[in-house]
Amino acid sequence: MPPVPPRRPKRRKWPWVLLVVLILLVGGCAALVVGIGHEVDEESKREVTVEYEVTGDARGVTITYSAYGDGNLSQSQVSDVDPPWSKKQQTKGFVKGGSLAVTTGASGGSVRCRVTVDGATHTATASGAFTTALCDGF
């Protein structure tokens, strides 16, 4: 009987399969992080218009408006205003938007505020003496 050649040990395939899966997983995660980072960067650079509007029959109202953008909050106030009143302001940053508060005086009346940011509109109304309508949009 001829001698039996020695058996070669079988090569294990699972370490190679595991390595390929691990490489694909790490590559996919890296691509996802880069993609999300790019989208966040683009969104933070996008500029939007914040539109403020006050209407109503109240006289001598106080208007306080704020704008969020570039990591900052800017706030302004105008007093003794008779509606209608409006203003537009540009802002950009990851969080962007604005708010508007309209307060009636001692004579009362009714007011309506409206803030439009990037096509989304937020409204509120108030009536009576020393009441406030608050519109917040961002």
Side-chain angles (χ1 to χ4, degrees), residues 25-128:
L25 185 64
V26 169
C29 288
L32 183 64
V33 167
V34 168
I36 290 172
H38 177 72
E39 289 299 317
V40 167
D41 185 52
E42 289 297 315
E43 181 62 24
S44 67
K45 291 177 184 175
R46 189 172 63 92
E47 195 169 88
V48 297
T49 301
V50 180
E51 299 178 43
Y52 308 95
E53 183 181 343
V54 176
T55 57
D57 61 9
R59 297 290 167 237
V61 301
T62 300
I63 299 170
T64 305
Y65 58 97
S66 304
Y68 313 103
D70 287 333
N72 298 311
L73 171 67
S74 64
Q75 189 170 9
S76 300
Q77 185 175 45
V78 289
S79 299
D80 201 24
V81 176
D82 293 338
W85 176 91
S86 64
K87 180 170 180 67
K88 290 183 181 182
Q89 190 168 355
Q90 296 293 116
T91 187
K92 66 180 178 175
F94 186 68
V95 176
K96 48 192 161 274
S99 64
L100 173 64
V102 184
T103 304
T104 62
S107 61
S110 63
V111 290
R112 177 178 181 258
C113 66
R114 182 172 82 178
V115 173
T116 304
V117 179
D118 207 18
T121 300
H122 306 272
T123 62
T125 58
S127 60

